[in-house]
Amino acid sequence: MGASTPNAFCPVDTIEYHRNALLAQGDDPLPVEQLVALIQAAPDEVTLKGLLAELEVEANKLGWPRDKDYAALLLQHAVLQVENRPARAAMLDFALAQATWCASCATAGGEGLARSVHVRELEAMRRVALQGC
């Protein structure tokens, strides 16, 4: 995804760690990365909704090698660079939906707990990001 500004909710090294894990299992994260960059710069709500629909298709092609949805992770990082509140809300709602789906697909207790941590992180982030803090 290129150079990014780190934030407390999603350090850049976490993204790189997940990216490398996806590559190691044979998944191509580039389409998701490109769509998140476009979403971050979406000029209007119609474009944003269309891009999020495309992102869902691409995100669902990737595995969860580190118990996190990669698209949700990227949106979690990108959202703090977006000033438009409705766009932030849409991005975080999408990220939450993806992370919740990931968590619901867990096949073991520990796996479910690990995946639910990301859901809780995104819920907290949504509260903070939409307050403008």
Side-chain angles (χ1 to χ4, degrees):
M1 261 200 61
S4 300
T5 306
N7 69 61
F9 286 104
C10 184
V12 175
D13 61 341
T14 300
I15 292 170
E16 194 62 28
Y17 177 75
H18 283 78
R19 184 180 205 284
N20 289 337
L22 286 166
L23 291 169
Q25 73 178 24
D27 286 341
D28 182 8
L30 187 59
V32 168
E33 294 166 351
Q34 291 171 332
L35 282 165
V36 169
L38 292 171
I39 287 165
Q40 191 174 4
D44 54 60
E45 187 177 344
V46 172
T47 303
L48 178 64
K49 285 183 179 183
L51 290 168
L52 287 171
E54 288 181 52
L55 181 60
E56 183 176 11
V57 172
E58 292 300 325
N60 290 339
K61 293 178 183 177
L62 302 178
W64 301 313
R66 298 292 181 245
D67 291 325
K68 287 189 180 180
D69 181 89
Y70 190 60
L73 192 66
L74 292 178
L75 287 171
Q76 180 179 2
H77 180 77
V79 73
L80 293 180
Q81 307 300 318
V82 175
E83 293 185 27
N84 179 297
R85 276 181 189 242
R88 283 193 308 221
M91 291 169 71
L92 286 168
D93 288 345
F94 180 92
L96 264 167
Q98 288 293 117
T100 300
W101 173 250
C102 176
S104 73
C105 293
T107 58
E111 184 182 57
L113 290 173
R115 292 178 181 188
S116 68
V117 168
H118 193 211
V119 172
R120 288 193 305 273
E121 287 173 3
L122 287 163
E123 289 169 341
M125 185 177 189
R126 190 178 194 290
R127 284 190 300 274
V128 171
L130 297 182
Q131 290 174 358
C133 295

